[in-house]
Amino acid sequence: MLKIWHMKQKQVAADAAEGPAKRRVTAAQLRAQKDITEISLPSTMKMDFPDPDDILNFTLTIEPDEGLYRGGSFEFTFAIGSQFPHEPPKVKCKQKIYHPNIDIEGNVCLNILREDWKPVLNLNAVIVGLQYLFLEPNPLDPLNKEAAEDLKNSKDMFARNVRSSMQGGYVRSERFDDVRKR
Amino acid sequence: MAVGYDVEKWKYLRRVLERAGPFTDKDSFDASMVKEALKDVKILVIGAGGLGCEILKNLALTGFKNIDVIDMDTIDVSNLNRQFLFRSSDVGQPKATCAANFIKSRVPDVNITPHFCAIQDKDIDFYMSFNSIICGLDSVEARRWINATLVNMVDWNNPDTCKPLIDGGTEGFKGQSRVILPKMTSCYECSLDMLTPRQAVPICTLATIPRQPAHCIEWASILEWPRVKGDLKMDTDDPEHITWLYTTALKRAQEFGIEGVTYTLTQGVVKNIIPAIASTNAIIAASCCNEAFKLATNTAPFLNNYMMYTGNEAVYTYTFEHERKENCPVCGEQNEPTNVTIRKDVKLGEWIEELKARADIQLKRPSLMGLGKSLYVQQPPQLEEKTRPNLEKLVSELVGNGEEVAVSDSALPFSLRLRVLYE
């Protein structure tokens, strides 16, 4: 099979010029393209591509029309690395918000973004997961411990805190970003 | 016959080179050429670490004469226990260079060329100049890169573009060696699902209830570093950065009454260091080098194609043929780009209509992208709007000759690759 080695060496130069050099699309781009073109967003979500030639970096805006976070406009950045889909996309919330599963740095606690990510999951699954966080904030997996405690102690107080934080107000000593939908 | 194998030290090597054995494939073994072949073979060793040192030593001592070694790392004091081509005075020096110098000083008739850089810094011509490549790497990412590069180089008009890749890997008492003939046997990507995924800890556990020292270290590197240091990129080779992570993690561990955070553990966690055992490296490197020798000389059948070595539960080795994955994103046939020839004056919009009319691909609403370039993307609406103006442009303005265009479509279960050639 591999006696090609020594014997064929002489004719290499002659055969080498076979059309222009091959330049291939990366596996990450290929998969991201497929995922992105298959996403169908509900009216409460919008994707934006600051550089339309770079589909590996984009933002997702979620504007929930029900639940405690209704009326807000929440922006997330997505960064898809070269190891996608073997590694999950990196997702961060751009605003400082009061949410039990999102800390004030914008880190998001969503199982499929980390420990439960699998290459068969796609970007749509991540987007659905993010949307769900605004409908059902989960106090059992807290990233913002205080917000989670508030939710556990009193749903009414938590709801009030969400409202004032979304208007750019304070919760305890922390001031949050105004995320009201414009 | 002056090819340098006539001296006494090669006496035993000559026995296998000069006559065929019972398992030698008589059609490909040629006793009159085999020494010449071994002398001329040019082999690339990727990685000059634990496996790399063993591999380089073995190759030089089995008669290989032209060896290149590439490694982007410098020598750390913790390498010295097993990376035996290095001495304490070499700490801080490039591994590739030191390894090459050492081999050269001990086996002077070997031509050995070091490359102190990342494998991604080298172009196709560089990889094309070797007959075979041996990897002694500790990173999945680097393996995937070299595997994909070698697979993409294959051009059946020229069999020499198929470069056998011999991949060795160890983890503690376990290891594997395998022979990959790009496009002929299963590739690294085909077997990617055999890897045990690294157990990730939920980020909320890190943030709220750490239970192990590693949780505190991960908290420091994943959450505290970006919070405190902002955009400063963490360099896991920078002792100052590791020290910062260590002290931050230690404070947190003390808060939660967790013991065991040390500087070494911090380094281990953030660099994902797996324990290296010198003798496992020696076993796997020996297997890899024997395969390289057999491939180069045809003196005996080579490994087909995967040998796993399990030393952690007594000793068990098993050799099997890992099959190609039909839909492998790197070597799968369906991912092979289809050549399409188009005229230079065709607009993108016209070309898309032509593609839709083709009975052999059956497209409905295709989205097209080039290399890091959106040509026309139908979904989501924001991208459609931004790429719509391209429909009026000539394809030849957007895509270079020989470049690939990826087509995705709801009617396609996979992405179609087209290689554009102009009339």
Side-chain angles (χ1 to χ4, degrees), chain B residues 371-385:
Chain B
L371 299 157
K373 182 156 192 68
S374 298
L375 302 173
Y376 183 60
V377 183
Q378 308 229 17
Q379 195 60 291
Q382 291 78 11
L383 262 184
E384 196 278 335
E385 200 180 303

Side-chain angles (χ1 to χ4, degrees), chain A residues 62 110-112 123-134:
Chain A
I62 304 180
L110 181 63
N111 63 336
I112 56 168
L123 293 175
N124 203 46
V126 173
I127 290 173
V128 170
L130 287 177
Q131 188 188 31
Y132 187 71
L133 284 184
F134 288 101

Side-chain angles (χ1 to χ4, degrees), chain A residues 102-120:
Chain A
I102 300 173
D103 71 12
I104 54 174
E105 306 299 322
N107 296 303
V108 181
C109 184
L110 181 63
N111 63 336
I112 56 168
L113 279 178
R114 201 172 145 80
E115 68 275 12
D116 292 331
W117 172 260
K118 290 181 184 64
V120 294

